Amino acid sequence: MSGVLPGLLVLTDRTQAAAPLPEVVAAAVDAGARAVVLREKDLPPPERAALADALAAVLAPVGGLLVVAGPPGPAGRTAVHLAAADPFPRPRPALVGRSCHSADEVDRAAAEGCDWVLVSPVFPTPSKPGYGPALGPAGLARLVRGAPPVHALGGVTPGDVADCLRAGAAGVAVMGPVMRDPGRVSEYLAALGEPTR
């Protein structure tokens, strides 16, 4: 674990999920995932809160971390992940991360005292078509300097993990591959040199 996050961060996307999200996350946790970002920002707040509770219950037995994307809702969460343009929440939640796509955004996250940043897209990905071009390992390395701990996001395969770590990333964040096949968590953990379950 580097900083507050383990080396692998799983992001949810129910449109790509092979089964209902709680089942996919449970399978990912069984394979070794220990941190999950709940996205699904289009859901009505009560439905999203219920889903957050369900995922937190899946992660609790292994001491895992649920991070909720977007500013904290009325129920509040101890860990939130902000989009690049989201205002920084006050009062500050215990843990705050931010998505970044440029040096200016990374600098802002550092100045705010974010606990981590997700830098994307590192490689071409259909999930982030509006955030190109892909940075590649060299672009990732430029954004890592002076940043909070960075997780590389966007088209990262297990074979790309070593390049991301060499570029200075603390870990990787993965959405589509794990949503479609949660057993792939073990491939990412092996590439990160972390124990697989």
Side-chain angles (χ1 to χ4, degrees), residues 64-145:
L65 175 67
L66 177 67
V67 179
V68 177
R77 289 286 166 179
T78 59
V80 299
H81 185 79
L82 306 171
D86 285 341
F88 197 85
R90 299 284 180 222
R92 186 194 199 280
L95 300 172
V96 181
R98 186 179 285 286
S99 292
C100 297
H101 314 288
S102 68
D104 287 345
E105 291 174 356
V106 169
D107 290 346
R108 172 187 175 195
E112 292 170 327
C114 287
D115 297 292
W116 69 84
V117 296
L118 301 186
V119 169
S120 70
V122 178
F123 300 102
T125 173
S127 300
K128 289 277 188 184
Y131 292 101
L135 296 163
L140 175 63
R142 283 191 296 276
L143 295 184
V144 164
R145 292 188 205 111

Side-chain angles (χ1 to χ4, degrees), residues 6 8-12 20-37 52 54-67 178-179 181-186 189 194-197:
L8 176 65
L9 183 61
V10 174
L11 281 68
T12 70
L21 269 184
E23 291 177 29
V24 171
V25 170
V29 167
D30 286 346
R34 294 297 178 260
V36 174
V37 175
L55 299 188
V58 168
L59 285 156
V62 297
L65 175 67
L66 177 67
V67 179
V178 171
M179 290 293 101
D181 180 2
R184 294 202 67 195
V185 162
S186 59
L189 293 175
E194 295 187 4
T196 55
R197 296 351 183 239

Side-chain angles (χ1 to χ4, degrees), residues 2 5 20 31 35 41 50 86 88 90 107 114 137 155 157 166 169 173 188 191:
S2 179
L5 296 178
K41 294 191 238 182
D86 285 341
F88 197 85
R90 299 284 180 222
D107 290 346
C114 287
T157 68
R166 275 193 292 274
Y188 285 95

